Amino acid sequence: MFVNHEGGHYLEALKYVGKSITRIDAVEKVLGIAEYASDIELPGMLYAKLLLSPYAHAKIISINYEKALRVPGVVSVAVGDDFPFRVGLYVNDRNILARKKVRWVGEPVAAVVAEDLEAAEEAVELIEVEYEPLPAVLDVREALKPGAPLVHEELGEYAHSPAFNPIAGTNIANRFTLKKGNIVEGFNKSEVVVENEFYMPQVSHVQMETHVCIGHYMADGNIKIWTSAQSPFTVRYILSHSIGVPLHRISVYVPYVGGGFGGKAGINFEPLVVLLSKKAGYRPVKLELTREEHFLAAPLRQGFYAKIKTGVTKDGKIMAEKIFYAFDAGAYADYGVNVARAAGYSCTGPYYVPNIEAESLAVYTNHQWGTAFRGFGHFEFLWAIERQMEIVASKLGIDPVEFRLKNALLPGLTTATGEVLREDAGRVDQCIEAVAKELRWGELTPTNDPKKVRAKGIAALWKAPAMPPNAASSAIIKFNEDGTVLLSVGVTEIGQGTVTSLAQIAAEELGVPIEKIRVVPFRHTDLTPYSWQTVASRNLFMEGRAVIRAARDAKEQILEIASQVLRAPKDDLIIKDEKVWVKGRPEWSLHLKDIVAGYVYPNGNTIGGPIIGRGYFVGTRLSYLDPETGQGYPALKWTFGAQGVEIELDLETGEVKVLKLVSAFDVGKAINPMLVIGQIIGGGIQSLSLGMWEQYVYDDKGRMLNPNLTDYKIARAGDIPEEIIPIIIENPQSDGPYGARGVAELSMLSVPAAIANAIFHATGVNINDLPLTYENIWKALNKKR
Amino acid sequence: MSRRKIRFKINGVEKTVEVEPNKTLLWLIREELKLKGTKKACERGDCGLCTVLLNGEPVKSCLVLAVEVDGSDILTVEGLAKNGELAPIQRAFIEHGATQCGFCTPAFLIVGHWLINRNPNPSREEVVEAINGLLCRCTGYKPIIDAILEAAKYMRRT
Amino acid sequence: MLPKFEYYSPTSLSEALDLLEKYGEDAKIIAGGTDLLVSMRDRILKPKCLIDIKKIPELRRIEYKEGVGLTIGAAVTFKDILEYPNLEKKYRVLWEAVKTIGDMILRNRATLVGNICNASPAADSAPALLILDARARIINKNDGVREVPLERFFIGVKKTILKPTEIVKEVFVPEPPANCYGKYVKVMRVQSEDLAVVGVAGLAYRDRGDLIIRLAYSSVAPTPIRVKEVEEVFKKKNMSLDEKIEEAVKISSEKVSPISDVRGSAEYRLNLVKVATRRLIKELVEVV
């Protein structure tokens, strides 16, 4: 490849980019010395334990914690009124601890701080709370009905980001609307109209590491936080906003994160531990959730309801779509409002639809609060859209692959927000074709057992980062005296491996061997260059560009010095193999190590100084969306893909086995193929697990019945398909680093729909509600009989 | 609750510790001995991330009482590398991208190490059976299975 | 964390029985601990004292005597059972059931007697033991050993006939009928590892040419149950095999009383009872 890219011009074969080098954090991780928040202990540290609400919706009449305070070792007990602050990413609706009322089963009501965890656990059981139960709203559609109990009576009083509009006197945390073309005309031109409803329950991220944070409010007014968070700068910013402490007084430290998947993207328990620390006499306070607390009290992925009406011509062209999405945001808006917005502006999936009317709501209920989850609304709505596409194709008698290709959103066509897809955008058609080919689409495998059938299913996908237009990334490249390099970036290492790819980019740009580059392994807001958040599959793209710019900035400084020493103009110099050369004159060169801390002439005269390169990146010409029509330019890049499965279904028990899973993504350029494949396989299995088994099961009082890993099932090694085929497609995007686009979230967007589509092909039965548990499948098959 | 004195060997080192009966082996390892490689993630035997070798056999240390290990030999992830040399299982995990967030990695390493030492020629099914008690949310297990099979190959070569 | 308790690890049975006599209901026996410690952590159980029986040599004994049967001591782990020579062949249905319990790592600790004493309706080893006519050997300080057929041992969800001062010393499984074939079918919510949504153990053999079938179930009644009425069906002369199978399916589905819980609805469980029973009998008949 000798392509010239905006993101990284290269005239020679690439040395590091495009290579499957092993992860730079792997050695620490296999030695068991990689540091996670739960491993951190501080001098004088205290331990916090939470008391959780047993009611979905109830007034707090009184709290008595006298007995708890008397337990030996207990330092302090806090209740909601101790902390009169509100916190929220977009809508300032959340209390630090419940005040006046509780809004879900599991809402923290009080916290005990003690010298050791055992004392805290003992004391928390002694707190007496008197509640007055209120009518609860436990279904997103019920919550929208007039007269439904209000989760937030004071919704009109909350401060909120101007991008969102909570509707006072209702349970609507945000309403996103979109209008494209002429919906009436679109349906008039349609010959077949298909309408369906779809649903999916709440699920947990089940990061292997639960939420852990330590807060230290120091007597001098400075605040330190150690936390398992994806976005240290967001933790700092929202905390500052919430409790009125300026940014420079808050330091947030993030070590390795034991899985994020969006659940640690925002701000969670950090304000609580900071305020507990102050109350407990300025000693550090650690909170580590148990798995049960993680299920009950930590944010989850919202439930989802969809109603989609699609109008098509007989020959299979989509003419119009009327879309309604309602996200069960739970008790607090958090990311939920933005999830609903993202689903709203991407609402069609990767298809060209000329006429659209869409509404996407984030709705308060008395469920646990929802937050970001890998895919950010796309896993949810793609379930609906990709099932709908299958049903429409079958109504038309058109092969579903052919139908998808016919309506594929290709460069030059407009998205739902009216954005013309750029000429170097990814190609969903190639992804669909690649998956179909690998699955041997159209060939059927018979089974010997009459009780079992085999079938195949496909679903496509797309996603862009859901981020504000000013979301930024930055990077610092510091040369050490010996010519080695320290790369600092704000993206946290949550397992995705971005920092390894960034090291590759830095090595490629600087002409320094990758072994001589170390990425600072932790994030510390005092030292780390700013990054908006580690979310949205945006960081390889954005940090990648920032690293390229930082490298070029550093090189520019190096060339400035070398030009004087070598007595040659800068544009006659090149940096290669840790040296600066005069082009065509390798004998006229300088070692980098002799320049990067300042060049010393034989007589001691010195020029230049320590080299520090810096770079930043923000999206180009991204815009806010029109509040009525949703039109505008929200997308830094769209990544497209498709996933397909072959299944075996037991018709008598509903047991489904996924035999083969194929996924293809147009990643532009795989900076590190092994990491890309790692994301594709890992995301694929997470998607399969979510689609087949995972759900919050509630009783009629809104109590979760399965808050443990015995009854909240996630995939184990014995659950994965025998064949898992990742396919990388590379149509480079010219403003991406070396042409790359993100893939992390994309990898898990469409497996459930592919499985349900396969079940449909096997049996003619449409299943529109997740999860696809064996029992649910059996029930659906039974209904047909 | 009376404290008990227990003696045991962990990663080759003799230890004598006094513990209360209600403390688990996991607590002993993480909180008393400060070996933080062994992870806590469910404390009820579901996730298996606290797995260590107890007298050569894998156990979920959240379901073993500390007092029970008196006289035992324990191996945790910190004991796998010797003299600065990574164990074959560790090398294979690095090369196969079998670690992502890394939180489950120590447990998979311990069980993988146990398996290939007991059976240097395991089938894919045997690997799956050995690790079925461990959860990973990142990798989709395939790279882990491949890494264990590869590590077994290293073992056969040496 | 676990609630506070005193811990004893007696090295003889009599010492253990003395402790039980002393503490009575405040004591719990711990062997593998895989169920007990979870219940304690969940604060469902708060015993004042735990008596660890793993250091009592006679309780660690597993022994098969040709023509007599298999004795499984209270501290014998599932791993010990799976690795005992020839059990896979001789006690196939039990061996298979044991292999489905938890995962390999848990089976290193969990014990069969613990599985029985925990008396979960979902105990996987129980249906196999029921159709193998297993007996629990119970001992207390004063009365010596009494032997109770497993069918009488379970009396309700998590309830057995065991008194607070008693220990199940061992389970005895008699020599299975000659040339029998057994199988355990376990339907789970996933492919990998789970508690049974429904478990069915079946045993078939020929007694002077007559087909004998035994069936028992887990997770479909307050206790694991053996449906003896089914056994009569196969002794009938004037029915075809298919008719007998359908009759057996009908009887089993009437005798079980599944509930709806987070693991499955009663309706689904009933369907699984029917499907699994039918499939299991057909496979058994094909083999014997």
Side-chain angles (χ1 to χ4, degrees):
Chain A
M1 297 236 325
F2 295 91
V3 191
N4 248 322
H5 286 303
E6 181 54 42
H9 64 86
Y10 40 107
L11 299 168
E12 294 184 45
L14 296 170
K15 225 171 172 174
Y16 298 106
V17 165
K19 302 285 191 300
S20 288
I21 70 157
T22 59
R23 297 176 67 106
I24 59 173
D25 54 353
V27 173
E28 267 178 278
K29 285 177 175 174
V30 301
L31 285 170
I33 57 172
E35 181 191 53
Y36 299 86
S38 62
D39 303 336
I40 297 172
E41 293 177 9
L42 300 170
M45 190 170 84
L46 302 170
Y47 296 81
K49 183 77 185 172
L50 304 175
L51 178 69
L52 307 183
S53 161
Y55 291 102
H57 200 191
K59 267 191 204 159
I60 300 169
I61 305 295
S62 67
I63 305 178
N64 182 345
Y65 51 82
E66 286 302 310
K67 284 183 204 156
L69 276 176
R70 287 202 293 270
V71 172
V74 168
V75 175
S76 174
V77 178
V79 298
D81 287 344
D82 290 326
F83 307 135
F85 304 102
R86 279 217 192 87
V87 59
L89 284 173
Y90 300 111
V91 181
N92 228 25
D93 59 4
R94 199 165 98 217
N95 297 305
I96 307 293
L97 290 166
R99 299 182 74 194
K100 292 184 198 158
K101 66 176 194 173
V102 291
R103 293 184 170 88
W104 88 86
V105 177
E107 176 157 22
V109 174
V112 174
V113 176
E115 299 282 350
D116 61 72
L117 190 56
E118 217 170 344
E121 281 187 358
E122 194 185 328
V124 89
E125 287 181 22
L126 300 174
I127 298 175
E128 292 154 3
V129 186
E130 193 189 331
Y131 297 96
E132 181 190 315
L134 298 167
V137 55
L138 300 169
D139 179 275
V140 67
R141 276 162 287 177
E142 293 297 319
L144 287 170
K145 287 183 182 160
L150 290 182
V151 180
H152 292 272
E153 292 85 352
E154 319 91 327
L155 186 55
E157 296 158 30
Y158 297 159
H160 59 84
S161 145
F164 300 98
N165 53 340
I167 303 173
T170 74
N171 285 317
I172 297 174
N174 188 50
R175 180 166 179 266
F176 173 86
T177 52
L178 182 141
K179 290 187 180 75
K180 178 190 176 189
N182 184 329
I183 190 83
V184 178
E185 223 168 77
F187 277 113
N188 283 344
K189 284 184 189 158
S190 302
E191 292 160 296
V192 176
V193 175
V194 179
E195 188 175 51
N196 284 294
E197 292 175 277
F198 305 89
Y199 166 82
M200 100 172 39
Q202 276 99 339
V203 295
S204 170
H205 307 78
V206 195
Q207 308 94 332
M208 284 297 106
E209 174 199 44
T210 60
H211 288 267
V212 187
C213 50
I214 304 169
H216 194 182
Y217 202 121
M218 292 179 291
D220 64 359
N222 289 320
I223 292 170
K224 283 188 187 173
I225 297 169
W226 297 254
T227 179
S228 64
Q230 290 171 232
S231 311
F233 290 94
T234 293
V235 170
R236 189 178 67 156
Y237 181 77
I238 303 288
L239 180 71
S240 158
H241 206 74
S242 176
I243 64 172
V245 174
L247 290 178
H248 72 293
R249 291 199 170 276
I250 305 172
S251 309
V252 181
Y253 174 88
V254 175
Y256 286 117
V257 177
F261 313 119
K264 299 170 182 172
I267 183 164
N268 295 301
F269 300 92
E270 294 87 355
L272 174 64
V273 288
V274 165
L275 294 168
L276 287 175
S277 166
K278 189 176 185 185
K279 190 158 195 288
Y282 302 104
R283 287 171 67 181
V285 173
K286 182 179 195 174
L287 175 71
E288 178 169 2
L289 298 190
T290 64
R291 182 58 58 186
E292 289 82 355
E293 288 165 343
H294 190 84
F295 274 116
L296 293 168
L300 43 58
R301 193 205 65 205
Q302 316 176 86
F304 174 69
Y305 164 82
K307 191 172 189 174
I308 302 173
K309 190 165 118 182
T310 308
V312 281
T313 60
K314 274 186 183 155
D315 63 351
K317 271 278 173 200
I318 303 174
M319 298 309 294
E321 214 150 44
K322 189 169 162 50
I323 289 172
F324 175 75
Y325 295 153
F327 286 84
D328 180 344
Y332 298 114
D334 199 67
Y335 274 106
V337 288
N338 200 24
V339 168
R341 176 178 168 274
Y345 71 66
S346 313
C347 62
T348 56
Y351 305 104
Y352 172 64
V353 184
N355 305 294
I356 308 167
E357 197 176 289
E359 182 180 8
S360 185
L361 306 178
V363 185
Y364 287 119
T365 66
N366 292 114
H367 280 144
Q368 205 162 329
W369 48 294
T371 190
F373 192 123
R374 196 177 190 180
F376 211 70
H378 291 61
F379 179 92
E380 294 91 309
F381 85 77
L382 282 164
W383 160 247
I385 283 289
E386 289 300 318
R387 287 268 45 240
Q388 174 78 351
M389 292 300 109
E390 203 73 12
I391 298 167
V392 172
S394 114
K395 287 261 176 1
L396 293 169
I398 299 178
D399 177 89
V401 168
E402 192 192 323
F403 178 72
R404 284 182 171 83
L405 291 174
K406 203 170 237 184
N407 291 287
L409 188 58
L410 298 177
L413 295 172
T414 53
T415 68
T417 70
E419 172 195 344
V420 178
L421 208 57
R422 54 188 297 150
E423 61 172 16
D424 56 4
R427 294 283 298 271
V428 70
D429 54 336
Q430 292 178 12
C431 296
I432 295 170
E433 282 165 350
V435 171
K437 188 175 169 220
E438 175 60 40
L439 274 180
R440 298 167 180 273
W441 188 253
E443 284 178 35
L444 286 179
T445 320
T447 53
N448 297 327
D449 186 341
K451 309 284 192 307
K452 288 181 180 169
V453 285
R454 277 196 180 193
K456 294 165 188 173
I458 274 186
L461 56 94
W462 78 331
K463 187 183 179 297
M467 60 183 208
N470 69 337
S473 291
S474 54
I476 296 172
I477 284 176
K478 271 202 306 189
F479 271 91
N480 298 313
E481 306 91 296
D482 61 356
T484 61
V485 172
L486 272 181
L487 171 62
S488 273
V489 283
V491 52
T492 48
E493 179 43 68
I494 59 176
Q496 82 284 40
T498 307
V499 293
T500 299
S501 302
L502 295 176
Q504 289 172 263
I505 289 172
E508 198 70 61
E509 285 291 323
L510 293 170
V512 168
I514 196 152
E515 305 75 42
K516 295 201 174 176
I517 295 179
R518 177 158 179 259
V519 183
V520 179
F522 56 83
R523 305 294 164 258
H524 192 307
T525 51
D526 290 359
L527 307 166
T528 300
Y530 179 84
S531 183
W532 171 62
Q533 298 186 338
T534 298
V535 295
S537 313
R538 65 177 271 278
N539 297 91
L540 176 63
F541 194 106
M542 296 186 67
E543 256 79 0
R545 284 295 304 276
V547 167
I548 290 171
R549 286 179 175 168
R552 291 183 186 172
D553 182 36
K555 283 199 295 194
E556 199 53 35
Q557 297 171 40
I558 291 167
L559 293 178
E560 190 75 43
I561 305 164
S563 153
Q564 296 179 49
V565 180
L566 294 171
R567 281 163 285 178
K570 274 200 293 188
D571 56 0
D572 269 3
L573 300 178
I574 55 164
I575 300 177
K576 203 183 149 189
D577 298 337
E578 300 177 80
K579 282 180 191 161
V580 186
W581 321 60
V582 179
K583 284 176 189 164
R585 287 282 186 189
E587 67 275 24
W588 297 342
S589 68
L590 282 170
H591 279 281
L592 278 185
K593 67 173 164 46
D594 296 328
I595 310 176
V596 292
Y599 180 80
V600 185
Y601 285 94
N603 72 350
N605 292 168
T606 302
I607 59 166
I611 301 294
I612 301 175
R614 59 120 205 167
Y616 63 75
F617 183 78
V618 294
T620 305
R621 296 184 64 157
L622 298 181
S623 75
Y624 297 117
L625 301 179
D626 182 277
E628 293 296 316
T629 65
Q631 299 297 290
Y633 182 22
L636 176 72
K637 41 112 186 157
W638 291 99
T639 305
F640 291 89
Q643 296 183 299
V645 294
E646 181 169 11
I647 62 160
E648 186 174 81
L649 169 64
D650 187 319
L651 296 167
E652 290 187 333
T653 64
E655 283 171 273
V656 153
K657 222 174 153 176
V658 177
L659 305 170
K660 181 169 182 171
L661 169 60
V662 185
S663 307
F665 302 94
D666 191 340
V667 302
K669 168 77 184 168
I671 304 290
N672 183 323
M674 180 166 82
L675 289 175
V676 173
I677 288 167
Q679 287 299 303
I680 296 177
I681 294 173
I685 297 305
Q686 192 176 68
S687 187
L688 181 150
S689 179
L690 286 161
M692 290 183 68
W693 301 305
E694 298 185 35
Q695 60 180 327
Y696 271 58
V697 182
Y698 296 105
D699 68 7
D700 58 359
K701 301 268 196 304
R703 291 177 291 214
M704 187 194 187
L705 299 175
N706 55 338
N708 55 61
L709 294 165
T710 311
D711 286 318
Y712 185 103
K713 309 300 287 184
I714 71 168
R716 291 177 181 274
D719 295 311
I720 71 171
E722 264 170 53
E723 268 188 284
I724 306 175
I725 313 286
I727 300 170
I728 295 173
I729 292 169
E730 294 182 313
N731 292 301
Q733 177 157 330
S734 51
D735 61 347
Y738 294 85
R741 297 183 198 91
V743 71
E745 296 169 294
L746 286 298
S747 63
M748 54 84 70
L749 293 182
S750 275
V751 177
I755 297 171
N757 291 344
I759 293 172
F760 174 59
H761 291 299
T763 63
V765 172
N766 275 309
I767 303 179
N768 292 349
D769 297 353
L770 284 184
L772 300 166
T773 61
Y774 305 156
E775 172 164 355
N776 287 348
I777 294 168
W778 172 77
K779 279 185 177 153
L781 297 178
N782 233 18
K783 230 189 239 169
K784 185 196 166 198
R785 280 184 201 126
Chain B
M1 197 168 54
S2 42
R3 293 169 76 87
R4 286 196 162 216
K5 190 184 264 190
I6 52 170
R7 286 188 64 159
F8 55 92
K9 210 182 206 186
I10 185 158
N11 302 330
V13 180
E14 288 275 358
K15 294 269 178 190
T16 307
V17 171
E18 271 196 14
V19 285
E20 292 169 315
N22 71 334
K23 298 299 188 291
T24 61
L25 173 57
L26 173 60
W27 184 93
L28 177 73
I29 292 168
R30 280 186 66 84
E31 309 305 323
E32 181 73 33
L33 304 175
K34 309 291 181 198
L35 293 169
K36 303 291 190 182
T38 303
K39 298 303 182 197
K40 175 170 83 176
C42 84
E43 295 178 280
R44 49 182 286 134
D46 290 323
C47 75
L49 299 201
C50 62
T51 300
V52 299
L53 296 191
L54 178 62
N55 297 322
E57 293 291 326
V59 297
K60 297 185 178 180
S61 65
C62 70
L63 294 182
V64 176
L65 297 174
V67 289
E68 293 181 63
V69 306
D70 189 27
S72 302
D73 196 344
I74 300 159
L75 181 76
T76 70
V77 66
E78 288 90 348
L80 287 178
K82 295 227 162 65
N83 308 321
E85 283 267 313
L86 295 178
I89 191 77
Q90 291 170 311
R91 275 171 20 226
F93 267 58
I94 294 173
E95 279 154 29
H96 281 265
T99 176
Q100 284 189 21
C101 87
F103 205 74
C104 70
T105 304
F108 280 96
L109 288 170
I110 280 288
V111 175
H113 175 79
W114 168 83
L115 179 69
I116 60 175
N117 277 282
R118 187 170 162 271
N119 173 7
N121 199 6
S123 66
R124 202 169 187 86
E125 290 68 36
E126 285 168 324
V127 173
V128 169
E129 199 196 331
I131 63 173
N132 238 349
L134 310 179
L135 290 176
C136 167
R137 190 61 154 172
C138 297
T139 65
Y141 302 100
K142 188 177 181 287
I144 295 176
I145 298 167
D146 291 343
I148 295 173
L149 289 169
E150 183 75 10
K153 266 191 216 163
Y154 300 162
M155 294 288 289
R156 294 201 295 275
R157 261 184 246 138
T158 52
Chain C
M1 297 190 111
L2 296 169
K4 293 181 165 68
F5 55 85
E6 293 298 331
Y7 171 82
Y8 297 95
S9 52
T11 50
S12 73
L13 194 50
S14 65
E15 214 183 313
L17 292 171
D18 285 344
L19 283 164
L20 264 188
E21 194 70 23
K22 184 177 159 200
Y23 283 95
E25 284 183 2
D26 290 334
K28 278 275 166 196
I29 302 287
I30 180 167
T34 52
D35 282 321
L36 178 68
L37 295 182
V38 175
S39 297
M40 286 171 64
R41 185 178 163 272
D42 290 347
R43 302 292 192 272
I44 294 165
L45 294 174
K46 287 184 180 175
K48 289 198 179 116
C49 144
L50 288 191
I51 303 168
D52 185 346
I53 55 169
K54 285 192 288 296
K55 290 198 177 133
I56 303 172
E58 58 181 306
L59 301 187
R60 302 216 60 143
R61 190 174 66 114
I62 172 167
E63 191 181 20
Y64 169 68
K65 272 195 190 138
E66 182 87 42
V68 180
L70 173 68
T71 307
I72 301 168
V76 170
T77 64
F78 289 126
K79 172 183 179 263
D80 297 335
I81 296 171
L82 290 173
E83 288 178 357
Y84 195 81
N86 289 324
L87 281 198
E88 184 179 359
K89 271 192 197 144
K90 199 83 200 175
Y91 289 89
R92 189 185 145 84
V93 60
L94 179 63
W95 191 90
E96 266 190 358
V98 166
K99 192 126 169 103
T100 70
I101 295 173
D103 56 70
M104 185 215 72
I105 306 169
L106 281 176
R107 292 194 296 267
N108 279 340
R109 298 281 294 177
T111 63
L112 180 128
V113 171
N115 196 224
I116 299 306
C117 291
N118 188 43
S120 159
D124 282 305
S125 67
L129 292 170
L130 285 169
I131 57 173
L132 289 166
D133 292 325
R135 305 194 282 273
R137 287 181 179 153
I138 298 170
I139 186 168
N140 73 14
K141 187 169 190 266
N142 305 315
D143 309 322
V145 178
R146 62 176 174 136
E147 218 176 68
V148 178
L150 219 55
E151 272 185 273
R152 299 218 313 268
F153 182 75
F154 301 116
I155 51 176
V157 176
K158 299 245 165 192
K159 284 200 182 90
T160 69
I161 58 158
L162 212 58
K163 292 179 196 128
T165 54
E166 291 179 326
I167 289 182
V168 175
K169 182 175 165 256
E170 61 203 20
V171 164
F172 174 71
V173 198
E175 178 80 16
N179 301 317
C180 69
Y181 179 74
K183 188 177 172 63
Y184 184 58
V185 176
K186 177 172 173 177
V187 185
M188 305 186 288
R189 288 167 291 182
V190 293
Q191 300 290 319
S192 58
E193 181 267 275
D194 193 10
L195 298 159
V197 179
V198 165
V200 193
L203 188 78
Y205 61 97
R206 301 241 172 220
D207 184 13
R208 280 159 290 164
D210 292 339
L211 177 67
I212 311 288
I213 301 267
R214 298 179 190 168
L215 295 173
Y217 298 83
S218 60
S219 295
V220 289
T223 67
I225 57 160
R226 175 167 170 184
V227 181
K228 280 202 163 157
E229 292 81 351
V230 165
E231 294 163 28
E232 298 308 312
V233 174
F234 289 91
K235 290 176 187 159
K236 290 185 184 168
K237 299 287 175 206
N238 49 358
M239 283 170 92
S240 72
L241 180 61
D242 281 347
E243 286 170 345
K244 285 180 185 174
I245 292 174
E246 285 316 307
E247 180 72 9
V249 168
K250 186 165 168 279
I251 290 172
S252 283
S253 61
E254 284 165 4
K255 289 292 166 191
V256 299
S257 51
I259 56 160
S260 292
D261 63 16
V262 69
R263 291 165 200 157
S265 69
E267 185 195 4
Y268 182 54
R269 286 192 159 114
L270 203 57
N271 170 65
L272 293 178
V273 166
K274 291 176 189 167
V275 172
T277 302
R278 190 178 294 121
R279 289 183 184 178
L280 176 57
I281 299 174
K282 282 183 179 167
E283 186 183 331
L284 294 177
V285 171
E286 260 176 42
V287 177
V288 296

